Amino acid sequence: MFLSGMAQGQQRVIRAVIGEDGLRRRLAELGFVPGMKVRVLARTSDGMIVEARGSSLAIDFRSGDLIVV
């Protein structure tokens, strides 16, 4: 399952981040790394608000399709 497919309120552990090196590095800087817990706080029309590392982050669905949970 990918992060973009999670429902509001769901919490899971990141298993992998796929995609180009630059994008994977940027997602890692934001806290999206294997082993981290993420929780979907809200879904919007073009993305979602997730909690990772105690911070709320906005992520678009395209990026969410690169995060395996």
Side-chain angles (χ1 to χ4, degrees), residues 2-50:
F2 293 98
L3 178 63
S4 58
M6 290 175 55
Q8 184 173 332
Q10 275 190 313
Q11 180 173 319
R12 295 200 178 215
V13 175
I14 295 174
R15 301 289 177 213
V17 179
I18 59 175
E20 297 178 18
D21 288 341
L23 186 53
R24 283 197 335 253
R25 192 171 18 257
R26 179 65 181 137
L27 290 171
E29 290 170 356
L30 293 172
F32 297 103
V33 294
M36 290 297 278
K37 290 181 184 177
V38 291
R39 183 168 54 109
V40 177
L41 300 176
R43 292 180 63 90
T44 64
S45 61
D46 58 347
M48 51 187 25
I49 309 296
V50 299

